[in-house]
Amino acid sequence: MDSTGASYQEDVVEFTVRACAATTVLGLLLRGWVTAASQAALLGGNALFLASLPTYWNP
């Protein structure tokens, strides 16, 4: 990560989007419709929330 932490938010959002897609597909493949729907709603909403945050990070 760069010293300003500018890439931190983007990395987290990308990871959350990928996790959403992976768990949704897995739920659909395993016919876990409720699990797939809840993962899509929760993780997708989390990704949108994280994307709305300021793009700087000061640990």
Side-chain angles (χ1 to χ4, degrees), residues 11-29 32-50:
D11 294 342
V12 172
V13 171
E14 287 177 7
F15 171 78
T16 306
V17 168
R18 288 187 181 120
C20 177
T23 56
T24 300
V25 168
L26 185 61
L28 291 172
L29 289 174
W33 305 112
V34 174
T35 300
S38 62
Q39 290 291 346
L42 294 175
L43 292 176
N46 287 344
L48 290 174
F49 169 73
L50 289 171

